[in-house]
Amino acid sequence: MTQLIMVSGSGPWRGVTQEEILETFDKHYVLLIDRVIASKSSFIVGNTAGIDQLVKQYLETQGYKLEFVSNGYTHTAKLEQNTTLSNQEPQPITPTAPEVSF
């Protein structure tokens, strides 16, 4: 069963700097997010500046699709990669010459 994980965090409205937000994200959030990714769970993330934005950016780089939902949050889902290979022969491409009139 896939779980839905809520992620939220601090932002500039709490009197913290962008540098502090980024440091907190790198030190505390990335490891936990990676664990959730490994469990193949989905996320729901707030839509404010600060940690919420960093989480969404990070999830996009990890192959997650962001879907904004009406309640002010963003739902994410891992995009499936198609790794199907076929043994079909490549089809030759024949360039066509443009018609020239005299």
Side-chain angles (χ1 to χ4, degrees):
M1 175 169 78
T2 302
Q3 295 183 358
L4 180 63
I5 307 298
M6 171 74 180
V7 182
S8 184
S10 196
W13 64 91
R14 295 210 174 166
V16 294
T17 66
Q18 189 63 30
E19 184 178 298
E20 291 170 316
I21 293 169
L22 185 56
E23 182 179 330
T24 299
F25 178 76
D26 288 339
K27 282 185 177 180
H28 302 287
Y29 281 76
V30 173
L31 178 63
L32 296 172
I33 291 170
D34 286 343
R35 286 182 184 171
V36 174
I37 290 171
S39 74
K40 301 189 186 313
S41 295
S42 295
F43 293 85
I44 190 156
V45 184
N47 286 329
T48 60
I51 293 290
D52 293 356
Q53 292 299 320
L54 293 173
V55 169
K56 289 190 285 187
Q57 291 170 3
Y58 185 75
L59 290 173
E60 282 185 309
T61 66
Q62 300 302 309
Y64 278 76
K65 176 186 170 197
L66 304 181
E67 178 183 321
F68 299 99
V69 291
S70 62
N71 61 3
Y73 292 96
T74 301
H75 182 263
T76 67
K78 182 77 170 170
L79 294 175
E80 297 297 324
Q81 294 182 351
N82 185 356
T83 57
T84 304
L85 299 176
S86 71
N87 290 328
Q88 295 179 353
E89 292 293 320
Q91 299 298 314
I93 298 174
T94 307
T96 58
E99 289 185 32
V100 180
S101 58
F102 293 97

